Amino acid sequence: MTLLTTPRLRTADSALRDRALAVVPGGVYGHMTVLQQMPPSYPQFYSRGAGARVWDVDDNEYIDFMCAFGPMIAGYANPVIDAAAAAQQVKGDALAGPSRHFVELAELLVDTVAHADWAMFAKNGTDATSIAVVTARAETGRTKLLKARKAYHGANAWFTPNPAGVTAADRADIIEFEYNDLASLEAAVAEAEGDVAAIIVPPFRHDALYDQELATAEFARGVRAIATRIGAAFILDEVRTGFRLDMAGAWEQFGVRPDMTAFSKGIANGYSLAAVVGGQAYKEAAASIYVTGSFWMGGVAMAAAVATLTLLRDTNGIRTMNAAGSAFRTGLQSQAAAHGFGLVQTGPVVMPFMRFDDDAELRQVFAFTDAAVRRGVLLHPWHNMFFSAAHTLDDVATALERTDEAFAETRSLFPL
């Protein structure tokens, strides 16, 4: 086996990093920055994508298992979706009001998501979770918000994991509980003393740096029962998971339906859009709140979303993602064992998270992802990854050939 140890060309990427640092605080910020938190071979800037592959600005090619951190659910440059968006673009995007796609998309969401009687739109996941929370407060007349500890629901002052610039007052109405722990949730309810406006949860626990944890049926049904008992809104945050687990709703498998669901990321295959859908009981409250944005009614993203959801439905995109994800998980597990590593993979196969046993400082997983990236396989050392309907079994087979070399290189750095 020949080990590829020469770093890929990074001339253009390096120059753009320097230029960005001169004019942008931190260079690149948020979850997409690679400075100080990613392997050295990880590119920062990209030029294009097609299907399940991306090319960085130095024209290095990668099989991409990040999908732009989730939005690319049907593959980069999907011709059907891009054609729908382009057809609206020539007519106009931000107009004096919404396009016909506004109504078409709302109708499609109501037809697709099992609990939805209405839909509202915005531009990103933080918008969507915020709209749901404000709607819950408008309906209930209460203030407290219950959320799972460490759960990420957006980048506003309520939810951000970074306390810089956030005051205690910004978080005063949040009470936390442990995921999959109904006793902990009941304790949070008691602490709120009858003032719970909403309980917000993700379909499974997907906190960065930690093993993902699937929800139990008992917990899912318990959240629904508790919210109903105390008259609070139950909000399911599917910003990250939407349309990758179940088109009708992530907790349909448990027979559990929320009062509202927040979507973004994959809803429009990379075009900026978010949505909140809800049941009839919250429709009047949703109509009463004031939320808006100059770009929220843009027709291009809505046309793309109609095409995306229709394509995923008609081609059973979730089945395709699951097949590729299952093959990749099985292959990685077998390779890790063959090279003497204990590899832990958690979460749904379409949104995998991986770590190495006895690797608290992340040295092995950083070395492995560094070796994989140099071989053209884009993996992440501490964040969950994503599959799209464009990932084929051939893509997985090619990626596994390269990850086998990456495991071998990592073993050479960490001998038994």
Side-chain angles (χ1 to χ4, degrees), residues 142-269:
R142 302 172 186 170
T143 59
K144 300 298 182 185
L145 174 64
L146 309 188
K147 65 175 287 289
R149 201 176 318 279
K150 297 185 184 298
Y152 178 75
H153 297 293
N156 59 16
W158 300 339
F159 294 129
T160 177
N162 186 340
V166 177
T167 69
D170 291 327
R171 303 296 296 266
D173 290 322
I174 292 179
I175 301 173
E176 295 188 324
F177 59 89
E178 297 298 331
Y179 197 83
N180 263 342
D181 187 335
L182 289 176
S184 176
L185 176 56
E186 290 282 18
V189 169
E191 183 180 342
E193 299 180 333
D195 193 28
V196 179
I199 304 170
I200 184 169
V201 293
F204 65 93
R205 191 172 67 81
H206 46 60
D207 315 335
L209 293 171
Y210 298 92
D211 287 352
Q212 298 185 124
E213 180 181 357
L214 300 179
T216 65
E218 178 187 17
F219 177 72
R221 293 166 185 157
V223 172
R224 175 67 277 176
I226 290 169
T228 300
R229 187 190 79 219
I230 66 176
F234 163 30
I235 302 167
L236 195 62
D237 179 357
E238 286 220 59
V239 167
R240 195 177 299 192
T241 63
F243 314 110
R244 274 189 168 88
L245 304 181
D246 189 321
M247 296 289 289
W251 277 3
E252 281 293 299
Q253 62 177 314
F254 303 126
V256 172
R257 294 177 178 175
D259 296 304
M260 289 177 280
T261 297
F263 293 111
S264 189
K265 286 196 181 288
I267 193 172
N269 201 50

Side-chain angles (χ1 to χ4, degrees), residues 59-326:
D59 209 33
N60 298 306
E61 179 183 345
Y62 307 87
I63 303 172
D64 176 25
F65 293 102
M66 289 310 298
C67 295
F69 283 82
M72 303 310 300
I73 197 169
Y76 294 98
N78 182 282
V80 173
I81 297 167
D82 286 354
Q88 181 58 43
Q89 183 68 69
V90 298
K91 300 174 183 177
D93 186 12
L95 303 170
S99 72
R100 64 183 176 86
H101 303 298
F102 176 86
V103 179
E104 292 171 352
L105 179 55
E107 290 173 338
L108 181 56
L109 285 167
V110 168
D111 287 344
T112 300
V113 181
H115 75 90
D117 294 312
W118 54 266
M120 295 175 67
F121 303 107
K123 276 298 177 188
N124 58 59
T126 300
D127 296 334
T129 56
S130 298
I131 289 169
V133 168
V134 173
T135 298
R137 285 173 170 158
E139 172 61 27
T140 63
R142 302 172 186 170
T143 59
K144 300 298 182 185
L145 174 64
L146 309 188
K147 65 175 287 289
R149 201 176 318 279
K150 297 185 184 298
Y152 178 75
H153 297 293
N156 59 16
W158 300 339
F159 294 129
T160 177
N162 186 340
V166 177
T167 69
D170 291 327
R171 303 296 296 266
D173 290 322
I174 292 179
I175 301 173
E176 295 188 324
F177 59 89
E178 297 298 331
Y179 197 83
N180 263 342
D181 187 335
L182 289 176
S184 176
L185 176 56
E186 290 282 18
V189 169
E191 183 180 342
E193 299 180 333
D195 193 28
V196 179
I199 304 170
I200 184 169
V201 293
F204 65 93
R205 191 172 67 81
H206 46 60
D207 315 335
L209 293 171
Y210 298 92
D211 287 352
Q212 298 185 124
E213 180 181 357
L214 300 179
T216 65
E218 178 187 17
F219 177 72
R221 293 166 185 157
V223 172
R224 175 67 277 176
I226 290 169
T228 300
R229 187 190 79 219
I230 66 176
F234 163 30
I235 302 167
L236 195 62
D237 179 357
E238 286 220 59
V239 167
R240 195 177 299 192
T241 63
F243 314 110
R244 274 189 168 88
L245 304 181
D246 189 321
M247 296 289 289
W251 277 3
E252 281 293 299
Q253 62 177 314
F254 303 126
V256 172
R257 294 177 178 175
D259 296 304
M260 289 177 280
T261 297
F263 293 111
S264 189
K265 286 196 181 288
I267 193 172
N269 201 50
Y271 293 87
S272 178
L273 190 69
V276 179
V277 303
Q280 193 66 38
Y282 286 83
K283 187 175 183 180
E284 185 175 341
S288 75
I289 67 173
Y290 186 77
V291 289
T292 191
S294 297
F295 305 104
W296 284 14
M297 302 294 176
V300 171
M302 292 182 185
V306 171
T308 299
L309 299 184
T310 301
L311 180 67
L312 292 173
R313 180 196 66 197
D314 293 350
T315 63
N316 202 341
I318 290 177
R319 180 177 61 191
T320 300
M321 287 182 259
N322 271 291
S326 295

Side-chain angles (χ1 to χ4, degrees), residues 21-44:
L21 281 168
V23 293
V24 178
V28 175
Y29 44 85
H31 63 286
M32 289 191 175
T33 181
V34 304
L35 298 176
Q36 300 178 344
Q37 60 182 14
M38 294 298 293
S41 62
Y42 216 93
Q44 179 68 88

